[in-house]
Amino acid sequence: MHSQSRKVVLVGTGMVGMSYAYALLNQSACDELLLIDIDAARAEGEAMDLSHGLAFSPGHMRIATGQYADCADADIVVLCAGVAQKPGEERPALLARNAEVFRSIVEPVVRSGFSGIFLVATNPVDVMTRLTQALSGFAPGRVVGTGTALDTARLRYLLGEYFCVDPRNVHAYVMGEHGESEFVPWSQAMLATKPVFTVCEESGGRFRAGDMEGLADRVRCAAQQIIAAKRATYYGIGMAMVRITRALLGDENSVLTVSTLLRGAHGVRGVFAGIPCVVGGAGVRETLTLPLLPEEEERFRRSCEVLDACWKELSF
Ligand code: NAD
């Protein structure tokens, strides 16, 4: 931490950014929150609106709009800015436009003298996190993407519902790309410390191992389903980002499935992807290499290949 005051600068005050800000306020997760958006009036309005909740919040927080120069003493700069896909626009064109958005943000943030942690949520998040690291030149551990943190939360929620247990007692991860090629290593999924497949075997037919892949499919389709119903997803990701923020600001060394640079885990190098990581004050301290089955390792590698191909489509 840079000072006694936990300072977060949020760039991109759209639905995701402001859901994050609202959750930060409700959890009193930082002391100072500055909002930046290319639409300055929007950022100003959001800062006003959010400040009016201070009278009811569990703690004090300074909330204001800011400039990139204000990032100098920030602990975390959070990136939720982005442009939406135009009708008929191909993925490389969208990626190129979002790369320009990130260039216009990351360069002035770095110029400010910022020496904290970047937290990236903009999609495709694994590629945008890799881009943030490339543009900033920061040590890879200090550039953290939300990765499969939200997907993992969705999985734990669905498993909790299926087995009728508190999702906080479900230990299971979604790994790889935050997107189509993500997967669940079921060999590592536990209720308390008992593998879910054993729970199914011993349940006398009440729970079925064959139902598990259906839950993974529901996780994979959740975003599309929500977007079809209400155009965007934001509360879940906002809460996931606050969870990561708390781990960073509190130097918690929590295990979270964030997007980080792989340096040989499961045979992958040079790609940013979602993997369980120990997250503390300095960002990602280390990745946890789980004892995956050979077919799970293969799925992880394939997902990372998809991400690498996406990165290569990006010219910046
Ligand atoms: P939004 O359109 O509501 O907000 C985007 C904001 O970025 C807008 O306020 C816009 O003015 C701002 N912006 C655009 N260009 C900018 C620039 N150059 N500088 C500063 N600000 C700029 O979008 P949203 O619904 O908040 O989604 C934001 C991003 O989060 C999207 O990329 C979305 O796909 C992603 N997302 C990620 C996850 C995840 O799990 N990582 C989940 C949901 C959404």
Side-chain angles (χ1 to χ4, degrees):
M1 290 233 310
H2 286 77
S3 63
Q4 288 302 92
S5 163
R6 301 164 300 170
K7 178 171 173 180
V8 174
V9 177
L10 166 61
V11 186
T13 58
M15 298 309 293
V16 169
M18 290 318 297
S19 300
Y20 166 69
Y22 186 62
L24 273 181
L25 176 61
N26 277 299
Q27 295 184 35
S28 217
C30 67
D31 302 305
E32 189 173 358
L33 174 64
L34 296 187
L35 308 181
I36 300 178
D37 198 286
I38 196 163
D39 182 346
R42 180 177 191 166
E44 195 64 52
E46 293 291 2
M48 279 178 74
D49 195 4
L50 203 61
S51 313
H52 299 162
L54 274 167
F56 312 110
S57 82
H60 183 69
M61 189 185 285
R62 187 175 105 79
I63 301 168
T65 53
Q67 308 295 326
Y68 288 116
D70 298 319
C71 296
D73 62 346
D75 296 292
I76 308 178
V77 170
V78 180
L79 305 183
C80 300
V83 287
Q85 198 157 11
K86 292 178 185 164
E89 187 177 38
E90 301 282 345
R91 192 174 63 178
L94 174 67
L95 256 176
R97 287 200 300 131
N98 266 329
E100 274 318 305
V101 168
F102 265 42
R103 190 194 293 281
S104 75
I105 296 168
V106 174
E107 287 176 358
V109 170
V110 172
R111 265 202 311 276
S112 76
F114 173 61
S115 59
I117 314 282
F118 277 107
L119 173 58
V120 183
T122 302
N123 275 323
V125 69
D126 303 287
V127 176
M128 298 312 286
T129 309
R130 187 168 171 181
L131 177 64
T132 303
Q133 195 277 322
L135 289 171
S136 66
F138 274 27
R142 285 174 45 214
V143 184
V144 182
T146 53
T148 45
L150 172 60
D151 317 72
T152 294
R154 287 172 173 154
L155 177 70
R156 292 172 69 196
Y157 163 73
L158 288 174
L159 283 168
E161 190 183 54
Y162 183 85
F163 290 107
C164 296
V165 296
D166 186 332
R168 289 173 298 187
N169 300 120
V170 175
H171 304 286
Y173 302 105
V174 178
M175 290 177 62
E177 177 195 14
H178 168 61
E180 272 297 299
S181 69
E182 69 184 31
F183 77 104
V184 179
W186 287 109
S187 68
Q188 306 301 308
M190 313 281 163
L191 285 196
T193 57
K194 192 165 184 168
V196 294
F197 284 157
T198 309
V199 175
C200 290
E201 263 166 43
E202 294 176 354
S203 72
R206 183 167 161 226
F207 304 121
R208 290 192 298 271
D211 289 342
M212 296 301 112
E213 218 28 67
L215 298 182
D217 289 342
R218 283 174 64 191
V219 170
R220 201 173 293 110
C221 297
Q224 286 161 4
Q225 231 182 319
I226 297 169
I227 289 167
K230 49 170 261 187
R231 301 167 68 140
T233 82
Y234 32 89
Y235 300 131
I237 183 62
M239 299 275 292
M241 290 161 69
V242 173
R243 179 68 195 89
I244 298 166
T245 299
R246 295 182 78 94
L248 293 169
L249 293 176
D251 192 19
E252 288 182 359
N253 294 318
S254 302
V255 175
L256 299 166
T257 44
V258 293
S259 191
T260 194
L261 177 68
L262 299 168
R263 303 167 191 246
H266 309 295
V268 184
R269 224 169 251 288
V271 177
F272 276 73
I275 185 168
C277 293
V278 181
V279 180
V284 171
R285 196 188 73 193
E286 59 192 281
T287 56
L288 282 185
T289 311
L290 300 176
L292 302 186
L293 299 175
E295 58 270 29
E296 293 168 342
E297 293 236 308
E298 186 48 35
R299 285 192 78 176
F300 184 70
R301 280 196 289 271
R302 281 210 307 271
S303 188
C304 291
E305 279 166 19
V306 169
L307 285 170
D308 209 30
C310 192
W311 171 256
K312 286 175 180 145
E313 282 174 5
L314 177 70
S315 45
F316 69 96

